[in-house]
Amino acid sequence: MNEFKGRSDFCGHEEAVDEERKLLTNFLARKELDVVIWQDKFMRLIGPIFCHFLFGDPVASEIINVYMRIMQKQSFEHGFEIYCMDTIVQDEVVTKLQEFGKRRMVHRNDYGAFLAKMTSFTMGKLQELSENVFRRCRYIIFPMNDRWHWFLLVYKRDEGMFKLWNSMHSLFAVGTTRVYTKFLAGAICHLSGFDIVSEPVLREPCRQQGDPRLWCLYMHLVGVSSP
């Protein structure tokens, strides 16, 4: 990990302008480079994520993925089955939905064309969400991001619905989870013919971090950039 984490000394970094960084990021994120660069027991790096390490950007999403994989592995070993979706799937889907249209909605006849724009990794993970997964696993967890804050969208098999755990409530996060669950329901039906209930998304009570505006102000005052 030390070979990759927070790298900012790669050749030419000192002279790299924003446009050059953008070109490198786009190059690494190309579908042809959507391959595993490095992996171990709990973690793997692919092209789109590797660029974050090159530029020293936060690696919070991969840290979350590590915890998700550990939790999923332990749950399988003890018969309390949990399925965890990789963070990059939510990020890619939400980003492409925002580019797709103002309402961030995909109509039933458009799913084929929309899914064709996904990277092979995201498509593979979405195809894993079969009827068997929804019937076998007690919880299906989708870590999501609201700019710099992470929260959890969870499908509970026993109740047959999605629930939201967010320690810093925001209407944007609620809206994003509703948009995402509608997309999931349509995508899963398109891919496997299995129907899931996407509404309503219910907020579960959990301990709150405080007013997000105050936290953002604090970060600004101390000069800390958002992850």
Side-chain angles (χ1 to χ4, degrees):
M1 278 305 299
N2 291 333
E3 295 183 30
F4 298 101
K5 188 173 182 180
R7 279 293 302 277
S8 60
D9 59 344
F10 62 92
C11 182
H13 176 270
E14 297 81 5
E15 295 78 25
V17 297
D18 290 342
E19 186 62 27
E20 291 173 340
R21 294 186 182 199
K22 182 178 179 181
L23 288 173
L24 179 56
T25 300
N26 290 340
F27 175 73
L28 287 170
R30 289 170 57 190
K31 189 172 183 179
E32 295 91 324
L33 294 176
D34 184 19
V35 296
V36 174
I37 296 173
W38 176 87
Q39 67 180 4
D40 65 6
K41 186 176 180 181
F42 296 115
M43 192 175 185
R44 58 98 184 90
L45 288 176
I46 60 176
I49 292 174
F50 185 58
C51 62
H52 294 304
F53 288 90
L54 285 175
F55 292 114
D57 289 339
V59 293
S61 61
E62 280 305 292
I63 293 172
I64 290 172
N65 285 335
V66 169
Y67 279 107
M68 293 292 105
R69 291 188 184 98
I70 293 172
M71 181 168 62
Q72 180 170 298
K73 182 177 183 296
Q74 292 297 317
S75 75
F76 287 164
E77 291 179 352
H78 294 85
F80 192 74
E81 296 192 65
I82 298 172
Y83 180 91
C84 303
M85 181 58 78
D86 196 289
T87 56
I88 197 173
V89 174
Q90 284 73 251
D91 286 345
E92 183 177 348
V93 168
V94 170
T95 298
K96 290 193 180 299
L97 285 173
Q98 290 171 340
E99 297 170 354
F100 192 74
K102 291 183 178 179
R103 299 189 65 186
R104 301 185 291 175
M105 292 180 61
V106 180
H107 297 292
R108 183 178 294 271
N109 295 333
D110 296 330
Y111 271 96
F114 186 86
L115 291 171
K117 299 178 182 179
M118 300 285 109
T119 61
S120 58
F121 176 79
T122 293
M123 269 301 299
K125 298 302 285 187
L126 289 174
Q127 289 170 340
E128 287 181 11
L129 291 175
S130 62
E131 180 176 357
N132 179 51
V133 169
F134 277 90
R135 297 197 185 283
R136 183 192 68 195
C137 298
R138 186 170 182 179
Y139 299 103
I140 304 177
I141 301 176
F142 304 88
M144 304 191 70
N145 182 268
D146 176 7
R147 292 177 285 272
W148 56 270
H149 173 66
W150 289 90
F151 53 93
L152 291 179
L153 175 68
V154 181
Y155 183 83
K156 298 187 69 174
R157 183 194 64 197
D158 295 345
E159 299 181 39
M161 64 175 60
F162 286 93
K163 295 198 171 184
L164 169 63
W165 273 266
N166 189 355
S167 63
M168 192 173 289
H169 173 65
S170 73
L171 292 178
F172 180 85
V174 174
T176 298
T177 54
R178 288 174 177 168
V179 166
Y180 187 74
T181 54
K182 287 180 181 179
F183 165 81
L184 272 182
I188 292 169
C189 184
H190 174 82
L191 292 170
S192 65
F194 178 56
D195 289 320
I196 60 172
V197 176
S198 63
E199 292 186 294
V201 177
L202 299 181
R203 285 182 57 208
E204 282 289 292
C206 62
R207 188 171 183 177
Q208 296 293 293
Q209 295 184 39
D211 191 331
R213 292 169 298 181
L214 295 177
W215 178 244
C216 289
L217 176 60
Y218 168 77
M219 292 176 67
H220 174 74
L221 291 175
V222 300
V224 178
S225 58
S226 299

